[in-house]
Amino acid sequence: NAGVTQTPKFQVLKTGQSMTLQCAQDMNHNSMYWYRQDPGMGLRLIYYSASEGTTDKGEVPNGYNVSRLNKREFSLRLESAAPSQTSVYFCASSWDRNQPQHFGDGTRLSIL
Amino acid sequence: SQQGEEDPQALSIQEGENATMNCSYKTSINNLQWYRQNSGRGLVHLILIRSNEREKHSGRLRVTLDTSKKSSSLLITASRAADTASYFCATDAVGYAGGTSYGKLTFGQGTILTVHP
């Protein structure tokens, strides 16, 4: 069982470049989430997808876009990377609100 | 804004001792969850406690919830060096979209637990 798989694991970008972070889950979960984790800040929700075909903004959506490609995959796109987006990004999925979220191991993103 | 606030921010104990971490939150919740994060890894779910529950156990873990005080505690008994990690509480803001219920978790900043052999 792979669970939640994130790619890439590490990435270095220059300011202004774009990239897409990929996330896939094999647990048939309905809901998927993107978080960022910064030192001393805990995890903050960027975007979430309650079910296939729906997406909505979380706490810190500015500078990001998402696509729920199908039930398995949920991608996060940075259109024009900024140094403030240097962070560790986590994808998670869950069955429903009364079930735990399962996390990937994260993408460590540095923007110079 | 962060709903859950953990206390203490850091805790250092010896193997065999108990570790207690506390979490306070501000608004009504559907459930509260505790997660562990080892260095360089993703979060791993430990326990989910619903708003109508007061206590829950899982192995060496005991979670309590006091909705009147808007607080929860995580107790790890007989700690081991392998318990060294960051521990986060997360509260569930109930939402509803597209006909499917979902849990939108709000995480605290975490407690860093170090267990010395």
Side-chain angles (χ1 to χ4, degrees), chain A residues 40-55:
Chain A
M41 297 291 292
L43 274 75
R44 291 182 292 170
L45 183 65
I46 305 171
Y47 270 94
Y48 58 92
S49 171
S51 61
E52 185 178 357
T54 69
T55 62

Side-chain angles (χ1 to χ4, degrees), chain A residues 75-102:
Chain A
S75 63
L76 178 72
R77 182 161 178 85
L78 287 70
E79 291 291 351
S80 179
S84 61
Q85 294 178 305
T86 292
S87 188
V88 182
Y89 291 85
F90 289 98
C91 176
S93 69
S94 68
W95 182 246
D96 66 26
R97 74 185 194 202
N98 284 319
Q99 298 299 319
Q101 292 187 12
H102 296 255

Side-chain angles (χ1 to χ4, degrees), chain A residues 33 37 59 97-98 101 108, chain B residues 1 30-31 35 37 40 103:
Chain A
Y33 314 84
Q37 185 177 34
E59 183 183 356
R97 74 185 194 202
N98 284 319
Q101 292 187 12
R108 283 144 188 83
Chain B
S1 62
N30 181 57
N31 65 61
Y35 288 81
Q37 184 180 33

Side-chain angles (χ1 to χ4, degrees), chain B residues 5-16:
Chain B
E5 297 290 338
E6 282 100 338
D7 172 58
Q9 291 187 339
L11 181 61
S12 181
I13 60 175
Q14 297 295 126
E15 252 187 345

